[in-house]
Amino acid sequence: MTDARAAFLAGDRPDDVALFLSERVLDDPGPLLEYGEEVPGGVLLVMDGETGRSVFQSATEMDAMGFAGKAMKTDGVIAPDLTGATCPKADDPDTPDAEEHEPRFVFAFAEAENPDVGGRYAEGDVIHAYAHCSCGAAFSHNWIAGERDEE
């Protein structure tokens, strides 16, 4: 794991976003390797928010915050290293391609601790992660930075 990703997951880079783009999304991951790290199944990038949202839109043809708004309506499980996810529709036999559930991409950002807001935000920095599955499902997962071990 790069220092940038470790710092992001610790909540130390609240102005940045993290993107996991799977091989399903990328025709050629080569150019992005200059800016990120190759991980099993794709590329993971940590970059400033504006650039990251632009890269997200170019790679997925979706607006990052619009996608996050849609994904936050469904809870799922996203790997603490941001490179995988468990689709909440994986056990639903009515879901198209029910036998194949792989994350196409993950978009994440960190929100700084904010005691004035209360709840989870008073406990520490919060990682917000949003995934899009190969079946078409969009879902989210959030947690206190540094409180999840690799699963």
Side-chain angles (χ1 to χ4, degrees), residues 43-92:
V43 175
L44 194 126
L45 307 149
V46 176
M47 52 187 44
D48 73 86
E50 185 175 329
T51 302
R53 287 185 292 277
S54 177
V55 169
F56 179 90
Q57 185 160 4
S58 293
T60 67
E61 299 180 353
M62 295 182 194
D63 171 70
M65 297 316 287
F67 166 70
K70 175 184 173 188
M72 71 185 337
K73 296 175 184 172
T74 304
D75 292 333
V77 177
I78 297 172
D81 68 358
L82 304 175
T83 64
T86 302
C87 179
K89 295 189 177 197
D91 295 328
D92 182 353

Side-chain angles (χ1 to χ4, degrees), residues 58-143:
S58 293
T60 67
E61 299 180 353
M62 295 182 194
D63 171 70
M65 297 316 287
F67 166 70
K70 175 184 173 188
M72 71 185 337
K73 296 175 184 172
T74 304
D75 292 333
V77 177
I78 297 172
D81 68 358
L82 304 175
T83 64
T86 302
C87 179
K89 295 189 177 197
D91 295 328
D92 182 353
D94 296 326
T95 300
D97 300 322
E99 64 281 342
E100 185 177 336
H101 291 273
E102 297 292 331
R104 294 184 67 239
F105 51 83
V106 174
F107 171 75
F109 63 89
E111 192 168 348
E113 179 177 354
N114 186 346
D116 294 336
V117 174
R120 173 170 284 201
Y121 301 96
E123 297 174 31
D125 301 328
V126 177
I127 304 296
H128 296 269
Y130 308 92
H132 189 271
C133 182
S134 58
C135 77
F139 53 96
S140 67
H141 189 172
N142 61 61
W143 61 91

